[in-house]
Amino acid sequence: MFTLLSSSVNLASGDWVGASFWLVSIALLASTVFFFLERDSVDPKWKLSLTVSGLVTGVAWFHYMYMRDVWVTTGATPTEYRYIDWLITVPLLIIEFYIILRAVTDTPSRVFVKLLVGSLVMLIFGYLGESGLVFGDPLVPFIIGMLGWIYIIYEIYAGETSGLSKSISSDSVKSAYKTMRNIVVFGWAIYPIGYYLAYLTGSEGSYNGATLNGIYNLADFLNKIFFGLVIWSLARKESNIK
Ligand SMILES: *C/C=C(C)/C=C/C=C(C)/C=C/C1=C(C)CCCC1(C)C
């Protein structure tokens, strides 16, 4: 399956972006194993959340194996790998809100649909901007993508999703919900900042693939692994595991 594993190209010393690909890929693999093993010891009610956390890190690990290999070989990595990964992992992260709310209160499925639509607008326009398809300049698709993200933030802080979260009675579920939505604001903000720095700061041609990949890698560590750990910690507390 992985011709990659037998690749003759190695990480060059001083290649910090390559090193970050390496670090994050191994951490994603370890997290995937961890979330699936831990799933056995929590209450049935929380198993689905841990399954989804493990899928997020597992899907990302798979893509990192490819991105890392292309990076060390060519010093670049296709935008497509990134966005195919996000297209799967972002909806999986967003569904965690729905799963957690559903575990504690009556939650209509439109809550998930709304968050999904926000994520798709954000990702589709982000991709159109980075790939240069359809739009001539990267600013307009960036702004539309930002609106998708802002809509998600509105939903989880003030919209229907937030309204449902008010009926959470358990303190640990309440605090996990708050941490998760803070991650969607502060952790997720790293991506548009990376986009801005890579595409919007200077004249055309100022695109910096090293900065962008380094920033996206850091962001993925936080938003996939740390996010999963917040859910894992919640599931343990709610299952009365010390
Ligand atoms: C695991 C991967 C995650 C959590 C990826 C999240 C990606 C974003 C929050 C991307 C956001 C963007 C905007 C808000 C504007 C347009 C450009 C994007 C796609 C980088």
Side-chain angles (χ1 to χ4, degrees), residues 169-199:
S169 55
S170 147
D171 282 342
S172 45
V173 181
K174 223 182 260 170
S175 102
Y177 178 88
K178 285 191 180 142
T179 309
M180 285 162 62
R181 72 179 183 188
N182 284 336
I183 293 176
V184 169
V185 174
F186 300 104
W188 286 25
I190 302 169
Y191 301 94
I193 291 172
Y195 183 113
Y196 176 82
L197 292 176
Y199 298 100

Side-chain angles (χ1 to χ4, degrees), residues 83 86 89-90 93 122 126 145-146 149 188 191-192 195 220 224:
Y83 277 84
W86 292 353
T89 54
V90 171
L93 289 167
M122 177 179 95
M146 287 294 280
W149 178 44
W188 286 25
Y191 301 94
Y195 183 113
D220 277 355
K224 293 181 166 72

Side-chain angles (χ1 to χ4, degrees):
M1 177 170 63
F2 286 114
T3 47
L4 304 168
L5 292 174
S6 60
S7 156
S8 58
V9 183
N10 289 305
L11 183 60
S13 71
D15 177 5
W16 70 273
V17 178
S20 75
F21 271 115
W22 220 276
L23 183 85
V24 178
S25 59
I26 302 305
L28 285 168
L29 176 60
S31 312
T32 306
V33 173
F34 178 76
F35 291 136
F36 282 119
L37 289 177
E38 284 297 298
R39 184 185 179 280
D40 279 343
S41 51
V42 300
D43 267 6
K45 202 169 148 183
W46 298 104
K47 285 190 191 301
L48 182 58
S49 307
L50 284 184
T51 303
V52 173
S53 294
L55 287 176
V56 167
T57 53
V59 166
W61 168 73
F62 193 81
H63 287 114
Y64 266 77
M65 296 302 287
Y66 285 87
M67 290 194 285
R68 171 179 111 172
D69 200 64
V70 180
W71 178 268
V72 297
T73 313
T74 66
T77 188
T79 306
E80 282 68 21
Y81 281 150
R82 219 28 111 175
Y83 277 84
I84 292 167
D85 178 75
W86 292 353
L87 205 54
I88 300 170
T89 54
V90 171
L92 285 171
L93 289 167
I94 270 305
I95 209 172
E96 293 278 25
F97 282 94
Y98 173 67
I99 294 170
I100 283 177
L101 286 176
R102 219 189 47 169
V104 294
T105 183
D106 243 345
T107 308
S109 54
R110 68 166 176 274
V111 163
F112 170 66
V113 174
K114 287 204 252 180
L115 295 171
L116 179 68
V117 169
S119 340
L120 290 179
V121 168
M122 177 179 95
L123 295 175
I124 289 169
F125 284 90
Y127 174 68
L128 293 177
E130 289 204 44
S131 63
L133 294 170
V134 183
F135 294 90
D137 78 296
L139 182 63
V140 175
F142 179 73
I143 292 169
I144 304 173
M146 287 294 280
L147 292 176
W149 178 44
I150 290 166
Y151 176 70
I152 297 172
I153 295 172
Y154 163 78
E155 255 306 305
I156 57 184
Y157 278 86
E160 185 177 17
T161 315
S162 158
L164 287 164
S165 77
K166 301 220 162 69
S167 57
I168 298 173
S169 55
S170 147
D171 282 342
S172 45
V173 181
K174 223 182 260 170
S175 102
Y177 178 88
K178 285 191 180 142
T179 309
M180 285 162 62
R181 72 179 183 188
N182 284 336
I183 293 176
V184 169
V185 174
F186 300 104
W188 286 25
I190 302 169
Y191 301 94
I193 291 172
Y195 183 113
Y196 176 82
L197 292 176
Y199 298 100
L200 299 170
T201 43
S203 54
E204 250 198 280
S206 69
Y207 163 71
N208 187 329
T211 307
L212 188 66
N213 280 291
I215 292 176
Y216 282 170
N217 290 355
L218 165 81
D220 277 355
F221 190 93
L222 181 70
N223 295 305
K224 293 181 166 72
I225 299 177
F226 184 70
F227 191 88
L229 287 173
V230 170
I231 290 164
W232 165 74
S233 148
L234 161 71
R236 275 174 69 92
K237 277 188 208 130
E238 288 291 301
S239 312
N240 293 314
I241 302 168
K242 287 280 164 347

